[in-house]
Amino acid sequence: MSLINTVPDMALTARVDDLLNWTRKSSVWYMMFGLACCAIEMMQTGGPRADLERFGMAPRATPRVSDVIIVSGTLTLKMALRTKLLYDQMPDPKYVVSMGSCANCGGLFQLAYSVCDGVDKVIPVDVYVPGCPPRPEALTEGLVKLQQKIQQEKWLVRKTDPVGVRA
Amino acid sequence: MEAASIHARLRERFGDAVGDLTGSGRTVGATVEPARIAEVAAWLRREPALLFDCLSTLAGVDYPKRSVIQVVYVLYSYRLRHWLTLRVDAPRDDPRVPTVTGVWSAADWQEREAFDLLGVQFEGHPDLRRILMPEDWPGHPLRKDFVEPQEYHGISTSRESLLKA
Amino acid sequence: MGLAGFEVEVQRRVAGGGVVTEDMTLSMGPQHPSTHGVLRFVVRADGEVMKEAIPDIGYLHRSIEKIAEKVGWHGFIPYTDRVDYVAAMFCNHGWARAAETLGGVEVPKRGEYCRVIADELCRIHSHLLGVGSMAMDIGAFTPFTHAIREREYLNDLFEELCGARLTFHYMRIGGVGWDLPPGWSDKVLHFLDRFEPIVEEYDRLISYNKIFVERLANVAIISPQDAVDYNLVGPNLRGSGVSYDVRRDDPYSVYPELEFDVPVGRGEVGTLGDCFDRYIVRMREMQQSCRILRQCLRQIPDGPVIAKVPRNFKPPAGDCYVRVESARGDMGWYVVSDGTAFPHRCKIRTGSFAAISMIPLVSRNLMIADLVAVIASFDLVAPEIDR
């Protein structure tokens, strides 16, 4: 005898994937990787007006406990080596949000000799948020898109390889 | 004190090592022979009528047409509220200038920056090494003939534009 | 990577009871939870007490000075915002004044007043972040959220004025980009009416809080002689007792027509020149900025806001040195022109560069937690240091 849908006021049925993903996307902790100007806007997004905590996103200082690294600001070549190290220190499953023009493609600092043109040269990126700097609303939309991406992940099926690094 | 009188006293003390008065505003000053700059700086700091206690800026400027790298010292006195600028011309292929770290501690990091970005060797500096660029960076970036490296530690320094014309 | 270039001697000592101890060498940064940007310190410590802390900078060196030589006089203004993004108006102002000094351009009176209004609002903007992140570094998270909340009101004002919340690109060579929008002055006055009691609320909340005072009093005392010798500027210099402010002592723009006090540290809870003095100078400066803003909004004349400057601006060959009193102190712009449409050299001397060079001096025999308080009290931002 099956219990499914026999006692609707006591038991809910759902797919395992949906349930797991819903719990995971509602508690995405981001590592404070504020490099430059976008870091200020990231702080403002975490502030009282455009609150990120209502999505369950808390700022963490160390990569060991964070789910997503929000690369906010210009990545210099000197810093790019350390960024790879920090990304490797994050435990799986991990995501990368590239915030702002400089992290997306070098931004207005493509003319510079010491800037790495885009963080996707060192680590694979899941969401690109454009702007210089992006408004809190834009960053929030980017993180909501990340939540939608997390919602669609499949756990009971073998996972495909992540997006390759464009060096 | 007026810049002209400061310059006159400087000329009186150091003779031909000090050039003519040039510039305007806060950059009014004179050129100084590279070998004597530390002496001149120390005297300017100690002399009771001058008392230049602040090295406001130390900047290196590359003049490839004249084949010099000029190190500019903008000096200010908090006590007596006057300005003076000293300019030192060092030959471009081997720029060597005595350090003034002994006179103003602010010169320490400013000279390291001039070394890092322009290649000026400051003789007598306690710790002359790169400050802004990575330790293994080739070349001195602010020189006019600097060529950007194609890649650094496996990361390429160019990105193809998505805006195809 | 690693500790290349930092050969520090590890000292082994035999402590009491025959126990052999060794100093540990830590690398603090470049990623760390403080908000001051990517800075790294190599700390040699005996347990909690530091023997020395050597700063390692350059992680945000974006070659802004070289870019000036590539993009031209007008095109460089957005890059100046990024020199100090927390107080971007001052950087715009410095560059615009340098170009105007070289080119002999005179800014109309209304333009000067708009500049001062933008500057002083930006000073409040920057000090709020400085003070809020100082409190957060000490451990109190709430004042930071208060500061962020106030900054949101300022962001609204700036957005109405020039369209941007952080990197303003408001000033142009010859004046400012846009006139004050209609009704904006009333909004600023409304904000000031709301903000002045908030500073007092801050004082009640955090300034004289016993834990805050204990963390900051008598930590990293800098004497006035050392401060001048190391070229410390701004609130850091005034916190050590040297009463010098570029707006009053070497004035520019319309500051001679305005009345304001210059707060100086007095060693009220500890010794003169400690971290608390530098903090309290910033709090009082915010109050003085409110005073300046009210005067400006009353006295501002009518007229154009920008002078006629050709698009192909070519100032005559020469050099100049221009200072503005930024939130982090006197920012010096040494600009060389060779008569073409592109600057020959632009050197920016910032307050944070000198302040961080003092860290090896002041951090002897401090605890690691005090190093965080010292960094916060200097109000360092990485882009000013690295440019």
Side-chain angles (χ1 to χ4, degrees):
Chain A
M1 191 180 88
S2 153
L3 277 174
I4 297 197
N5 288 329
T6 49
V7 279
D9 51 344
M10 270 174 55
L12 291 170
T13 54
R15 295 212 306 260
V16 173
D17 274 342
D18 285 348
L19 206 57
L20 276 176
N21 287 336
W22 171 65
T23 58
R24 285 180 53 233
K25 81 169 187 193
S26 310
S27 167
V28 181
W29 289 358
Y30 62 93
M31 181 169 90
M32 295 196 293
F33 197 54
L35 299 170
C37 340
C38 289
I40 308 288
E41 284 294 18
M42 188 170 71
M43 285 186 244
Q44 297 279 150
T45 314
R49 188 184 281 188
D51 187 12
L52 273 183
E53 294 248 6
R54 62 191 157 132
F55 297 107
M57 301 190 185
R60 311 306 303 167
T62 155
R64 301 283 186 189
V65 300
S66 30
D67 298 303
V68 66
I69 171 174
I70 302 183
V71 183
S72 46
T74 319
L75 195 70
T76 54
L77 291 168
K78 197 169 177 180
M79 192 67 196
L81 308 172
R82 277 85 176 165
T83 307
K84 184 80 176 76
L85 187 67
L86 285 166
Y87 177 74
D88 290 337
Q89 285 179 345
M90 284 169 71
D92 271 331
K94 54 192 172 187
Y95 307 93
V96 176
V97 171
S98 161
M99 176 187 178
S101 260
C102 295
N104 290 344
C105 64
L108 78 172
F109 290 107
Q110 282 182 342
L111 295 170
Y113 50 78
S114 60
V115 165
C116 177
D117 296 327
V119 74
D120 56 5
K121 288 186 183 246
V122 263
I123 53 183
V125 174
D126 290 291
V127 178
Y128 294 85
V129 182
C132 191
R135 293 184 59 101
E137 288 86 351
L139 179 63
T140 313
E141 186 188 342
L143 288 166
V144 165
K145 280 235 172 353
L146 180 68
Q147 285 188 328
Q148 288 166 359
K149 183 171 180 172
I150 295 176
Q151 183 66 50
Q152 285 156 13
E153 287 186 355
K154 304 251 180 288
W155 287 98
L156 300 182
V157 179
R158 189 176 299 277
K159 215 173 149 137
T160 52
D161 286 326
V163 173
V165 173
R166 186 189 336 182
Chain B
M1 207 182 194
E2 282 296 321
S5 16
I6 302 177
H7 179 248
R9 293 186 65 143
L10 201 56
R11 254 288 174 55
E12 198 186 309
R13 173 77 176 77
F14 289 101
D16 283 334
V18 176
D20 290 326
L21 195 64
T22 51
S24 63
R26 292 193 194 90
T27 51
V28 62
T31 50
V32 175
E33 246 174 55
R36 312 277 309 267
I37 183 66
E39 232 186 291
V40 172
W43 182 78
L44 283 168
R45 179 143 198 201
R46 276 194 326 257
E47 182 68 12
L50 300 178
L51 286 182
F52 282 104
D53 47 15
C54 171
L55 174 68
S56 200
T57 294
L58 193 159
V61 191
D62 188 17
Y63 290 105
K65 293 209 177 103
R66 293 197 288 143
S67 288
V68 294
I69 292 186
Q70 190 175 80
V71 181
V72 179
Y73 302 77
V74 179
L75 308 177
Y76 181 62
S77 171
Y78 276 108
R79 301 252 190 90
L80 303 174
R81 308 280 165 99
H82 47 218
W83 292 89
L84 187 70
T85 298
L86 303 174
R87 294 165 221 270
V88 171
D89 284 336
R92 202 161 178 269
D93 40 14
D94 185 29
R96 292 183 173 276
V97 177
T99 184
V100 293
T101 320
V103 183
W104 301 286
S105 309
D108 192 341
W109 276 37
Q110 304 254 19
E111 285 180 352
R112 274 180 71 188
E113 188 189 330
F115 162 68
D116 187 5
L117 298 178
L118 282 154
V120 181
Q121 296 279 343
F122 287 95
E123 289 161 341
H125 193 278
D127 182 23
L128 197 67
R129 59 192 160 93
R130 285 196 185 262
I131 188 171
L132 293 174
M133 303 307 297
E135 293 289 331
D136 54 357
W137 187 261
H140 297 283
L142 234 53
R143 289 201 175 201
K144 298 289 180 186
D145 53 1
F146 174 70
V147 172
E148 276 185 48
Q150 289 296 320
E151 59 134 39
Y152 175 72
H153 279 253
I155 308 168
S156 77
T157 54
S158 59
R159 190 178 184 107
E160 84 275 2
S161 170
L162 293 172
L163 302 170
K164 297 275 184 266
Chain C
M1 266 195 305
L3 298 173
F6 294 99
E7 279 79 39
V8 287
E9 281 175 35
V10 170
Q11 289 179 352
R12 291 176 158 249
R13 283 181 303 281
V14 180
V19 175
V20 175
T21 66
E22 223 176 74
D23 291 340
M24 57 179 174
T25 314
L26 301 171
S27 171
M28 272 177 69
Q31 187 267 340
H32 52 81
S34 133
T35 53
H36 304 289
V38 278
L39 305 167
R40 177 173 175 241
F41 294 89
V42 178
V43 171
R44 186 163 63 86
D46 169 25
E48 196 65 36
V49 176
M50 297 190 295
K51 293 283 178 267
E52 61 181 345
I54 307 169
D56 178 23
I57 63 174
Y59 292 91
L60 198 58
H61 177 60
R62 299 181 279 191
S63 36
I64 292 179
E65 294 178 353
K66 180 95 180 181
I67 291 178
E69 300 165 20
K70 293 184 188 173
V71 294
W73 297 93
H74 294 292
F76 188 56
I77 301 178
Y79 289 91
T80 58
D81 287 322
R82 276 90 182 155
V83 167
D84 178 4
Y85 43 76
V86 189
M89 290 290 190
F90 299 104
C91 310
N92 283 355
H93 197 166
W95 174 254
R97 275 190 63 220
E100 284 151 17
T101 309
L102 283 171
V105 177
E106 173 131 3
V107 180
K109 199 73 162 173
R110 188 175 170 90
E112 292 279 20
Y113 268 95
C114 288
R115 281 185 172 178
V116 170
I117 292 172
D119 274 354
E120 294 302 323
L121 276 175
C122 202
R123 194 184 307 276
I124 301 177
H125 205 214
S126 170
H127 281 325
L128 274 171
L129 190 67
V131 157
S133 57
M134 183 168 191
M136 186 164 81
D137 287 345
I138 302 292
F141 195 73
T142 311
F144 183 70
T145 49
H146 280 61
I148 296 286
R149 180 192 67 189
E150 297 310 314
R151 287 185 97 235
E152 282 290 344
Y153 291 111
L154 276 166
N155 281 341
D156 288 339
L157 288 172
F158 280 127
E159 197 172 353
E160 204 178 324
L161 178 69
C162 56
R165 291 159 50 100
L166 188 73
T167 46
F168 306 117
H169 186 39
Y170 178 53
M171 303 199 187
R172 306 279 182 273
I173 299 177
V176 295
W178 298 276
D179 202 349
L180 308 182
W184 190 77
S185 313
D186 295 325
K187 288 186 187 163
V188 175
L189 289 169
H190 184 68
F191 167 76
L192 291 174
D193 289 333
R194 196 184 164 281
F195 182 67
E196 277 161 356
I198 301 274
V199 179
E200 288 159 29
E201 184 185 312
Y202 241 87
D203 270 340
R204 285 198 309 273
L205 181 66
I206 188 96
S207 298
Y208 297 102
N209 180 309
K210 183 154 172 56
I211 303 176
F212 198 69
V213 165
E214 294 275 337
R215 280 295 298 271
L216 296 181
N218 299 317
V219 170
I221 298 166
I222 299 181
S223 66
Q225 292 81 18
D226 272 342
V228 168
D229 195 30
Y230 276 84
N231 200 11
L232 217 55
V233 289
N236 300 331
L237 182 67
R238 292 193 278 281
S240 288
V242 179
S243 173
Y244 188 84
D245 187 325
V246 181
R247 297 174 290 170
R248 181 193 62 192
D249 299 314
D250 193 3
Y252 56 97
S253 191
V254 292
Y255 284 108
E257 298 169 22
L258 300 168
E259 214 182 276
F260 57 97
D261 296 322
V262 171
V264 178
R266 287 173 299 138
E268 48 184 307
V269 295
T271 325
L272 178 68
D274 60 11
C275 291
F276 186 83
D277 276 335
R278 293 188 277 275
Y279 161 80
I280 207 76
V281 161
R282 291 192 174 95
M283 294 298 291
R284 303 289 163 254
E285 268 187 20
M286 283 201 279
Q287 291 172 320
Q288 293 302 316
S289 286
C290 293
R291 209 172 139 196
I292 295 177
L293 279 165
R294 285 186 195 277
Q295 289 172 50
C296 282
L297 289 168
R298 259 198 319 267
Q299 295 172 359
I300 182 169
D302 288 321
V305 289
I306 186 167
K308 283 245 176 297
V309 173
R311 186 174 277 198
N312 197 8
F313 180 65
K314 287 188 186 162
D319 60 3
C320 76
Y321 186 66
V322 155
R323 309 156 93 187
V324 285
E325 178 75 22
S326 156
R328 265 156 212 88
D330 143 29
M331 188 185 270
W333 292 75
Y334 176 70
V335 183
V336 180
S337 159
D338 55 3
T340 62
F342 298 91
H344 185 80
R345 170 83 163 105
C346 163
K347 155 88 186 179
I348 311 161
R349 199 272 301 139
T350 51
S352 301
F353 190 71
I356 196 175
S357 70
M358 286 198 84
I359 297 275
L361 177 75
V362 301
S363 62
R364 297 212 183 102
N365 296 326
L366 282 186
M367 297 209 237
I368 296 181
D370 289 332
L371 178 66
V372 177
V374 169
I375 297 167
S377 79
F378 279 143
D379 204 2
L380 301 175
V381 282
E384 266 208 342
I385 298 169
D386 294 338
R387 280 155 284 130

